[in-house]
Amino acid sequence: TGPPGGSAARRGTGTGVGVVRQTAGMRHDTAAPESGPLCAGTPGRITALDALRGFALCGIVFINIPQTMDMFDYAGQMPFGLRFFVLGRFYPIFYLLFGLGFGLFLRSAARSSARPRPLLVRRFAALALMGAVLHLIQPGEVLLPFAVAGLLVLLPASYLPQRGVVAVGTVLTIAGILAGVGGFGLLPGLFTLGFALAKLRVPRTLHRRAPQLAVLVAAGAALAAASLGLVALELPAMAQPRIGLLLSTSMSACYAGLFLLLMRTPAARPLDAVLAPMGRMALTNYFTAALLFVPLGLAMGLHDSSLWGRTAALGAGILALQAVWSPLWLRAFAYGPLEWVWRCATYWRILPIKERVQSRSGPPGIH
């Protein structure tokens, strides 16, 4: 039930090209003392990126359910809006944010440890273990591949200079699209590009990057339009997955750029209130979503069916529940339950779950 290359791609879900699971919540650079709508909430935290992750979480759950319930045999009956605007459009955002989060973590760890990379390796190992456990509930989950990609791609990339990381990420992303092997083909490149954004300290200057975001949206829209034009040409079958990946990636870029621009408007306050807590607890919400939609989906008769209306209702109900419980939890605790477990496993000791201000003698913040 992973991204393209899995069941969805084999069953010909068109230009949606695959699905990715929600990844772990990532905290952001504690050295960013900015303010404003992009940096609201906890001082030093770029909550716009939390909200962006929560936004992607909302799109992914509507694909995770039918994919896990083996509903893509009836993909021809999938509503157009779901197929065109949601299927495969959100996982590139998670790839990028996941790589960004690891880059920020390594930077944070380097401020208090002479050997930060062993902490990064332990973080990958803990994520792999959680992925293995989740696989028992939701076969095909993506956390284990994320951990493997982190070890094989991000760890070596951490030794490269900034320009080298950008170049490698760009080449790997283009190669992933040209390979046409599905969404996992994009993982190394977008992981590395996200890592490069951390090296370049982009999150700290996000509030000054409206022009770059506008260019991102325009470029994404142009590539999406070109992709749709290629689809209309009815090119050979071997070209279709590559066009689908280009369309998914370009639309994801549009979504991310437009969302971050929207976070510069008065809409930022309600978006931040609803989506940022969900994004901060993305790992926990990912697990709880699977714990809910697997048994409920079976009870609702979704398995191997074309009951798309029930699927949408189930996804909306899960998101509504998470939108309520995430801020309630974070009022009492600094981390989501699984985010806290991940943090403790990284440092190999029990750390306070209510810690909101880093102590002078404690470990650095976990991004």
Side-chain angles (χ1 to χ4, degrees):
T1 58
S7 59
R10 291 192 298 270
R11 292 167 187 168
T13 54
T15 58
V17 191
V19 182
V20 150
R21 303 291 185 250
Q22 304 140 353
T23 59
M26 294 170 285
R27 295 184 62 192
H28 298 288
D29 198 336
T30 55
E34 310 294 351
S35 61
L38 295 181
C39 308
T42 304
R45 188 179 185 91
I46 314 301
T47 58
L49 297 180
D50 289 327
L52 178 61
R53 190 180 307 105
F55 168 68
L57 182 75
C58 293
I60 286 173
V61 73
F62 289 106
I63 300 302
N64 285 352
I65 296 173
Q67 187 165 329
T68 305
M69 292 291 104
D70 292 323
M71 297 176 65
F72 283 129
D73 282 334
Y74 306 92
Q77 303 175 37
M78 182 184 296
F80 172 79
L82 183 64
R83 176 192 291 274
F84 185 77
F85 293 105
V86 180
L87 183 59
R89 309 312 188 222
F90 292 91
Y91 69 85
I93 299 173
F94 268 108
Y95 284 167
L96 195 74
L97 289 176
F98 204 87
L100 173 65
F102 276 127
L104 292 174
F105 167 79
L106 186 62
R107 179 186 296 277
S108 176
R111 290 198 291 265
S112 66
S113 172
R115 301 178 67 241
R117 287 181 180 85
L119 293 175
L120 183 63
V121 171
R122 194 180 298 163
R123 196 156 175 79
F124 290 142
L127 184 65
L129 180 59
M130 287 188 281
V133 172
L134 184 62
H135 186 82
L136 300 176
I137 305 168
Q138 188 178 333
E141 56 75 39
V142 81
L143 299 184
L144 182 56
F146 274 12
V148 173
L151 285 169
L152 297 181
V153 179
L154 293 191
L155 189 61
S158 70
Y159 292 94
L160 296 175
Q162 293 178 354
R163 292 183 179 180
V165 179
V166 173
V168 169
T170 301
V171 170
L172 288 177
T173 300
I174 295 173
I177 293 174
L178 294 178
V181 295
F184 276 133
L186 297 174
L187 177 56
L190 292 178
F191 244 36
T192 309
L193 286 178
F195 198 80
L197 292 178
K199 274 184 164 287
L200 294 169
R201 300 178 181 266
V202 170
R204 296 184 62 185
T205 58
L206 189 60
H207 62 291
R208 299 198 301 263
R209 294 186 178 272
Q212 290 92 331
L213 291 174
V215 170
L216 176 67
V217 172
L223 284 174
S227 301
L228 290 173
L230 292 174
V231 170
L233 294 178
E234 298 184 356
L235 297 176
M238 64 177 298
Q240 296 305 315
R242 294 162 176 81
I243 297 172
L245 284 172
L246 180 60
L247 179 61
S248 290
T249 306
S250 57
M251 289 187 68
S252 296
C254 277
Y255 287 1
L258 285 171
F259 185 88
L260 291 176
L261 286 174
L262 192 62
M263 290 295 289
R264 306 173 68 87
T265 72
R269 186 177 296 274
L271 289 174
D272 178 73
V274 175
L275 296 176
M278 295 174 66
R280 286 180 62 185
M281 292 177 53
L283 177 59
T284 297
N285 284 330
Y286 175 35
F287 266 81
T288 57
L291 291 173
L292 289 170
F293 73 67
V294 171
L296 289 177
L298 292 174
M300 294 169 65
L302 298 183
H303 184 263
D304 196 25
S305 75
S306 59
L307 300 174
W308 297 105
R310 293 187 189 179
T311 301
L314 178 58
I318 290 173
L319 290 176
L321 180 62
Q322 292 179 345
V324 171
W325 98 284
S326 296
L328 290 177
W329 178 276
L330 291 174
R331 287 178 188 174
F333 304 101
Y335 309 94
L338 289 183
E339 285 76 14
W340 174 72
V341 170
W342 198 17
R343 187 171 189 259
C344 293
T346 298
Y347 286 94
W348 205 240
R349 60 187 173 117
I350 302 299
L351 297 169
I353 193 172
K354 290 188 175 183
E355 180 182 65
R356 292 190 178 276
V357 179
Q358 177 186 331
S359 65
R360 292 182 181 273
S361 59
I366 303 299
H367 298 292

